[in-house]
Amino acid sequence: MAGEVAQDFYNWMQEIRARIELVLDSSLPTLDGDLTGLHEAMRYALVGGGKYVRPLLCFAAGEVTQACPAALDRVACALEMVHVYSLVHDDLPCMDNDTLRRGKPTVHVQFDEGTALLVGDALQTQAFSLLSETSSVLTASQSLALVHELAHAAGSFGMVGGQAIDLASVGQRLPQNVLEAMHRMKTGALLRASLRMGALCGDPLSDEAREMLDVYASAVGLLFQVVDDILDCTENSNTLGKTAGKDAKYAKPTYVSLLGLDATRALTKQLHADAYKATERLGKRANRLRALANFVVQRIH
Amino acid sequence: MAGEVAQDFYNWMQEIRARIELVLDSSLPTLDGDLTGLHEAMRYALVGGGKYVRPLLCFAAGEVTQACPAALDRVACALEMVHVYSLVHDDLPCMDNDTLRRGKPTVHVQFDEGTALLVGDALQTQAFSLLSETSSVLTASQSLALVHELAHAAGSFGMVGGQAIDLASVGQRLPQNVLEAMHRMKTGALLRASLRMGALCGDPLSDEAREMLDVYASAVGLLFQVVDDILDCTENSNTLGKTAGKDAKYAKPTYVSLLGLDATRALTKQLHADAYKATERLGKRANRLRALANFVVQRIH
């Protein structure tokens, strides 16, 4: 179960990323008319430079249920739109006040605050617009379930709720269970939705398989965050493409500040093992999910 | 066709408003746990003090297609959530920087800017969450069409697009056609969606009836805005429950500044006549729509 990542997986990752970049680009309106400014800023935020983790999770889960790639394109795109809207709003001066994202100036720096606010608002709406288009590869019930899954993950009991707890906890030393609950909402909910929505596009899962996918989602969702916490204090801004050392600077509670670096590394091993075990129960079609878990943990080695 | 508003209509309006207030209140989580702050602020913004114009339009259009009240409750609630999210974001310092709304301090004044940002974000998500819940009174296709209608109206070619044009046009003297295009997006799109979505909850409309409903929507949508422009320069903040005289203060282009008060009043008469004529073609079931048009125009008499 060692965290080995095969060349085949890197090729697949590259292929999905290139594919999603094209789909994202074509999902936004062309630049003409009165709305050029807004659409230009939406494209600036959305296209290029992302790691596209949520699309990758979505496509990997889609392999488990043999989902149609055209359906996964749409879902992956909607997930990335919601993720990017949250980044754009999170970077605003009234939140994290950040100036660097994906190696570029943040949207409110490149344009202005009002534009950044509207870009985030419009990207969220666009995600739901995309998922609710009539489709030849998804039934109305599937599409509606996808909308509901995304809304649940993004809302006040998911991503936005996590951001609210984060906002209220700056400078506080949170106990590990509260820190974990915050991350499960702030980033975990959308990562979990990426997996569930990818799987939803294909054949129905057995109850056991759905449960295993949730176990995997839970472990990998937290793993991403813990790895991010480690990278934030061990890497520089140039490598990350976003401001490094931000957690310590703003006295944000992190796993590293709470447990120390060694215990945090040990936690990543445990989470990786949990994720790995879940994929074994899902069989051969979960190969990509397994490789993804290896890939995440390898970022800190 | 004079703008008379019968007592029966006032009673109906009161009844729908009271009903929607209850539904809105029960659509938000109770105040406990880690998210008390966020949910309290969402409730502060959403419940109480609104005119509930979008719910009223939704219910009035639902009468045309004999829609089920339980379906209309849900749709009206989602519409109001999107409207309120846009107000909360529009009031932020980086947009209109307003301090008074619905007779209360705006959300960022009562709480803080970060909270106001998240309240708007979460209310938008909650609207889509609500519309995508499985329902015994709406088919999956109907619910999906409702999601799409709302997303289209709220997105970059609708409400948010209109806000972007508005943001870019402060201090400019816009020609009437650009001003109209801006309002058709900024407020008209959601008002039109209120009517279309209300009708969507019931029996299918004939092509002609759908067209008439769109004609009505187009006229009444603009009528609301033109009346608002008149009230902004003739009434005080106390009467309006929001800051009066704001358009002139921020050199915002309005119908009054463009055409003068008399020609603007004449325009309201024309729009009212257009709306009225459309309802006549829709027959008796459009009585509420007709009364609503009368009610809007009566606010300036």
Side-chain angles (χ1 to χ4, degrees), chain B residues 12-13 16-17 51-61 292:
Chain B
W12 173 82
M13 218 159 57
I16 299 293
R17 282 176 172 158
K51 292 196 295 287
Y52 303 129
V53 168
R54 287 144 201 86
L56 290 170
L57 288 169
C58 173
F59 270 84
L292 254 170

Side-chain angles (χ1 to χ4, degrees), chain A residues 29 35 39 85 89 94-95 113 117-118 121 124-125 128-129 132-133 143-144 147-148 151 155-157 160-161 164 185, chain B residues 29 35 39 85 89 94-95 113 117-118 121 124-125 128-129 132-133 144 147-148 151 155-157 160-161 164 185:
Chain A
L35 294 166
H39 288 143
Y85 118 65
H89 281 186
C94 67
M95 300 289 288
E113 277 186 52
L117 179 69
L118 296 179
D121 289 345
Q124 174 169 198
T125 321
F128 291 109
S129 178
S132 60
E133 276 173 16
S143 292
L144 198 64
V147 169
H148 199 66
S156 70
F157 284 105
V160 170
M185 294 171 73
Chain B
L35 295 165
H39 288 142
Y85 118 66
H89 280 186
C94 66
M95 300 290 288
E113 277 186 53
L117 179 69
L118 296 178
D121 289 345
Q124 175 170 198
T125 321
F128 291 109
S129 178
S132 60
E133 276 173 17
L144 198 64
V147 169
H148 199 65
S156 70
F157 284 106
V160 170
M185 293 170 74

Side-chain angles (χ1 to χ4, degrees), chain A residues 1 3 13 47 76 81 100 113 138 152 232 268:
Chain A
M1 60 153 281
M13 218 161 56
V47 186
M81 283 172 174
L100 184 68
E113 277 186 52
L138 292 165
H152 184 75
D232 183 76
T268 64

